[in-house]
Structures are given as C-alpha cells and as structure tokens.
Amino acid sequence: MNMEQVWIGGEWRGARASSSFVAKNPATTLDLSGEYPVSTWTDCDAALDAAVDAAHQLQKASGEQLAAFLEGYAHAAESNAEEIIAMANAETGLPVTPRLRTVELPRMTTQLRQAAAAAREGSWQQVVIDTKNNIRSHFAAIGPVVIFGPNNFPFAFNGVSGGDFAAAIASGCPVIAKAHPLHPGTSRLLARCAETALRDSGLPAATVQMLYNVANEDGLRLVSDPRIAASSFTGSRSAGLRLKAAADSVGNLMYLEMSSLNPIVLLPGAVSQRGESLVAELADSCLAASGQFCTSPNLLLAVAGETTERLAAGLAETLAARPSGTIFSETGLQDLHRSVQWLVDSGACVATGAGFAEGEGWRYKNTLLRVSASDFLASSDSLQREAFGNATMLVTATDIAQLAEVIKSLEGNLTGSIYSSFSDSDDVYLSVASALRSKVGRLMNDKMPTGVALSPAMNHGGPFPSTSHPGFTAVGIPRSLLRFGALHCYDAVREDRLPPALRDKASIAAMWRTIDGNCVQG
C-alpha cells in the first residue's frame, strides 16, 4: 500500500513520517483503503518556512484575489461533491442525505462564499482615519495560522475547508491545516479542490498546506513555534488546554472550542403547556448526529413536579425506542462510556441507556441520567463533565430559586436556552435569563441549540471552558475574521507607502470611520 502524500509548499510530496495510520468505517469498524502518514517535525518545519514566505507575499494580495480563491474553492468542491460525500460517509458514518449532501456541504460552500464577500468588501478591517493628525489604523492579516479540525464536521469545520479556514484565508493569512485522522481521505479530496482554486487565483503556492497527522509533542511544538501567529483548535478540553499552554508559553494566540453542556431550562409553564412536543424536540436535538455536536444539549434543568415527571418518563421512553446512532470512533465510544459512568459515580441515576448498544459499528445506548438540584450543587464540578455523544442529564430543582442557583454554578457554555409558557410572567423568565446570560455565548428562547445559522450576527463562542476567549466567534462572517487580524497603526506615513485601504485616494465607504480630533499621547 502506497502512503498518501502531504501538501507542503505548493506540492504533494512524500511525507517524512514516523508511522502511518488507516481510517475506519465507524458503521462497520472495518479498515478503509488508503495509508496516511504521521508526519515528523521535518514536515512541520518545511510547512512553517513555506507559510512564512507565503505570508510576506500575501501582504500584496488584494481582497479580490482572496475572494477569487475562496469562490473557486467552493465551485471546485461542488463539482466534485459526489466523490467527497461518498468518502465522508465511509469515514464518519454520517448519512449522505440529508446530513452530508443537503446540509453540511452547502454549509461549507456558503461559508467560503461569505468569506469571499468579506475579503472583497473589506469592512472587517474596521478602518479608522484621523485626517488631522494623519494617523490611520485597520485590522490586517496576523500571519501564518495553524488550524486543527475536529472529528464531527468533515466539511464545515474541517481544517482545510471549514469556517476557521475560510476566515483565516479571507483575512489574508496562510493556513497550515492539520487534518483530523478520522477523515483523512475527505480532507485529501478537499485539499485537491483547494489546490485547483489556488492555482487559478494566482495566490502564493503555500497559501494552503496540509498535514494528515503529527505526534502530540510536534503539535505542541507547532503552535508554539515563533513562525506561527495564531492557531485554532476544535476538540476535547484536555487536548485544547495542552495546546493553549504551549502557545501561551511563547505568546502565540490560540483559539479553542472545547467543552459545552448547552443547558436547556424548562420552566414549569412550558412543561405544563406543551410537554409532549418538548419530548420530541429534546429527543431530536439530543440525538442529532448521535449527540456529537458541540451544541448538543447535555444538561436539562427543570422544576420538580408531576408534569416534569411525565416529561422525564416520556423522554426516557422515546430515547429508548429510537435506534442508537453511530459514534465516530472506538476511542469516542469508550470516552462516552467513561463519562457516563463518571456522572453515575458522581451521583446521577440512570433513567435509560448507559451502556454499549448491540449491532454493527460503534454504538451506544441513548442515555438519560437524572439528578436532584441539591445533589448537583453538592458535586457541581464532577457533574459538569461533558459526555460527548447521545447522552443527556436532567436536573430537577425544588423551585425557581434553586434552579437559578444551579445555573449560577455552571461553567461557561456555547449556548443556553429557556423554554417558557407564553403566559409566564416576565419576572420568571427574566430571573432565569439573568442568571444564564453570563454563562453562555448564545442565549435562546423556546429553541433547541443544535442549529448554528451562518449569520453575521451569530456567536459560536462563549465563556471558558466552551472556548478560550468569550470575545470571539467561530461562526459569523465578517466578525469571525477578527481572530486572525492584528491592529496595524500608521502614524505620519506617506500616502504612497500606506496599505491601499488607508490611502486618501481610496473610495471611503460607509464602513470607514474618519475622524478629525486632537492627538492623545500615550
């Protein structure tokens, strides 16, 4: 079996590998064709040097050139959609329809085109021109970026095609993509599409590079290398924190998306008014992609009572009746089981599931755990362990005041949702929302969290440990580009030496802010 080549410096070449791996089909657990390298530092070093050269060249690239690449990439991916989708289906077990063909691939190409529009239009730079003092500033590309893609979105969050990738390229940063080892073939096909678009756009050959996998110590070394300006990682909390510690040790930026329980608060009025429909909504959201969404609801909060008991019984019955979906890997399956057992050992009771499911492939029984608010508050740290997969936990409080105490004990989350009766008083909702607001990046009312719209107003971020910084988002162009921007200021620089966006002769658009103020020394 010939080992697949890595993409470094504009060419596909044999890897300097320490070992190799093969992908597996999670629906069958069988090996797939293709042998992929685990690159040594030699490959990383070569990619870093090439990225530095590309970063210098990209300083001269126009927004139009960046946009042309991103749009060409989207077109190339659509032209090769069937091959890419078939590979992703084999490597992830995610269904071809609707997930891969009608949901995720269009999401990826939409992100690429949105990023193209942002690069072309330029408002993300937030230009400020002080004409009196001749001081000008804007956000510009920060430099080479490393992107670690996750296992759960082979297209839309892939290191070589996803939202982080699109934002970094649109801001003018070269990208070194570290593909996820669970879908290397999908990443290779996407990289081939990027190669075609890159060649047609005229951008530097090393604007995009890709390695399939590296040893843990080389990943830590990569994010802390002085040639890297920023990195992004979507994955487990333990791996993310190790990467951040390495990046922080040298002052490199590290954007993380890690752990989130995404609490859903079910107020008594909502449970009484539409408990049956809530059961169906909750089951759909909890089991989407077998619970392997970063926005999957892992924590349900309600006030104890007869209607809540009916909802809990209905949810347990529904989860038990539905088929268990595919878990992406054997490691993921074991991690899910360990997390569920941790929660049980910490005081949660099993309402249904909590064990391996029978049948072909890596599967886990749809799981509902339960715990009282008093017990949760007594062991809140232990009971906030994320069980990434088709498992959720219901916490029942004695009243709204205790429910608010549970919310106040929560760590940071990507999302939080409150279901309320249309006749509930504002005081009930507002008291809960006040407690929840500082704990989540996106607050919802009467809506499940698993959908993340590609809207410029979207925040796919949140307080630690959901992310490493609550001020940035991984979804929502053009704002997401700011993660890969540095604030550049020019003081008394001659016009012909300024970036085009800061010159007086440039057409000053509405998004620019021109001021005529007094100079403030500082």
Side-chain angles (χ1 to χ4, degrees):
M1 183 183 296
N2 292 325
M3 195 178 301
E4 296 290 346
Q5 296 180 316
V6 291
W7 189 22
I8 297 176
E11 63 179 11
W12 292 91
R13 63 199 205 189
R16 298 295 181 90
S18 60
S19 59
S20 65
F21 67 98
V22 296
K24 292 179 179 287
N25 186 327
T28 64
T29 72
L30 298 177
D31 289 352
L32 296 169
S33 62
E35 182 182 5
Y36 299 89
V38 177
S39 288
T40 62
W41 182 251
T42 300
D43 282 350
C44 298
D45 192 46
L48 287 164
D49 280 343
V52 170
D53 289 341
H56 287 304
Q57 296 176 59
L58 282 169
Q59 291 177 8
K60 302 174 184 177
S62 66
E64 183 59 45
Q65 284 180 286
L66 297 170
F69 163 69
L70 291 162
E71 290 171 341
Y73 189 177
H75 176 73
E78 289 167 343
S79 299
N80 294 275
E82 292 309 309
E83 182 183 14
I84 296 169
I85 289 168
M87 180 68 79
N89 169 252
E91 291 185 326
T92 67
L94 293 170
V96 169
T97 302
R99 169 67 189 264
L100 293 173
R101 178 179 288 124
T102 61
V103 177
E104 195 179 341
L105 188 69
R107 182 183 182 89
M108 182 196 81
T109 56
T110 297
Q111 285 177 155
L112 292 170
R113 290 189 171 102
Q114 286 181 346
R120 184 178 284 119
E121 184 255 1
S123 65
W124 77 273
Q125 298 177 53
Q126 299 183 17
V127 170
V128 179
I129 298 176
D130 179 347
T131 54
K132 180 177 180 179
N133 296 302
N134 194 18
I135 301 173
R136 300 142 195 267
S137 65
H138 71 152
F139 283 94
I142 195 170
V145 170
V146 176
I147 298 178
F148 295 77
N151 65 355
N152 57 343
F153 281 87
F155 305 152
F157 283 83
N158 195 307
V160 76
S161 68
D164 287 353
F165 169 88
I169 294 293
S171 67
C173 297
V175 168
I176 300 173
K178 208 289 286 183
H180 198 284
L182 294 189
H183 43 73
T186 303
S187 300
R188 175 177 56 81
L189 293 176
L190 288 168
R192 288 289 186 182
C193 294
E195 180 188 22
T196 298
L198 198 60
R199 184 172 56 247
D200 294 343
S201 70
L203 292 177
T207 297
V208 185
Q209 303 178 87
M210 188 185 71
L211 306 175
Y212 292 105
N213 204 1
V214 297
N216 288 343
E217 59 269 24
D218 287 333
L220 298 173
R221 187 176 175 185
L222 190 60
V223 301
S224 59
D225 191 280
R227 289 167 286 185
I228 286 298
S231 303
S232 74
F233 168 85
T234 303
S236 71
R237 183 171 175 174
S238 58
L241 291 180
R242 288 197 300 272
L243 288 167
K244 188 174 188 303
D248 285 348
S249 69
V250 296
N252 285 356
L253 289 174
M254 185 82 219
Y255 297 107
L256 304 176
E257 183 188 323
M258 298 177 290
S259 174
S260 186
L261 300 181
N262 306 299
I264 295 180
V265 181
L266 305 166
L267 293 179
V271 177
S272 298
Q273 188 181 73
R274 53 191 195 279
E276 188 173 331
S277 65
L278 279 175
V279 166
E281 284 188 61
L282 287 166
D284 289 344
S285 188
C286 291
L287 300 184
S290 301
Q292 296 168 111
F293 281 168
C294 48
T295 53
S296 184
N298 290 126
L299 192 65
L300 314 177
L301 310 178
V303 175
E306 183 179 345
T307 54
T308 296
E309 287 305 311
R310 286 200 297 269
L311 181 141
L315 181 57
E317 182 179 353
T318 301
L319 293 178
R322 292 198 184 181
S324 299
T326 302
I327 302 299
F328 292 129
S329 69
E330 185 175 13
T331 300
L333 179 66
Q334 296 295 336
D335 286 345
L336 172 59
H337 184 60
R338 278 192 291 269
S339 294
V340 168
Q341 292 306 307
W342 174 282
L343 293 170
V344 171
D345 292 343
S346 299
C349 299
V350 178
T352 190
F356 300 106
E358 297 179 355
E360 191 177 31
W362 292 305
R363 302 178 189 277
Y364 199 73
K365 292 179 180 179
N366 300 330
T367 298
L368 175 64
L369 305 178
R370 295 195 59 178
V371 67
S372 70
S374 296
D375 288 343
F376 184 90
L377 289 169
S379 304
S380 62
D381 289 343
S382 294
L383 288 168
Q384 288 186 71
R385 176 162 172 165
E386 181 185 31
F388 190 70
N390 50 330
T392 191
M393 184 167 65
L394 173 64
V395 179
T396 50
T398 56
D399 52 28
I400 293 294
Q402 191 180 44
L403 196 67
E405 289 302 310
V406 170
I407 294 170
K408 291 175 183 177
S409 74
L410 297 180
E411 296 178 330
N413 286 274
L414 293 170
T415 74
S417 186
I418 304 171
Y419 274 78
S420 58
S421 167
F422 298 116
S423 59
D424 277 345
S425 71
D426 284 343
D427 288 345
V428 174
Y429 171 83
L430 291 175
S431 65
V432 172
S434 176
L436 189 57
R437 177 61 276 183
S438 64
K439 299 292 184 178
V440 303
R442 176 166 54 115
L443 179 65
M444 288 162 285
N445 194 187
D446 300 318
K447 183 179 180 179
M448 292 293 160
T450 34
V452 183
L454 296 181
S455 164
M458 176 54 64
N459 178 21
H460 189 62
F464 181 84
S466 61
T467 72
S468 55
H469 195 303
F472 295 95
T473 177
V475 178
I477 294 170
R479 188 174 286 164
S480 63
L481 275 64
L482 290 175
R483 292 169 299 152
F484 306 112
L487 186 59
H488 289 181
C489 181
Y490 297 82
D491 191 341
V493 175
R494 299 175 193 173
E495 184 177 1
D496 60 349
R497 298 174 179 176
L498 289 167
L502 299 181
R503 295 177 185 175
D504 288 336
K505 292 180 180 179
S507 174
I508 299 177
M511 68 276 188
W512 288 19
R513 182 178 173 214
T514 303
I515 61 174
D516 186 6
N518 296 319
C519 179
V520 178
Q521 295 184 353

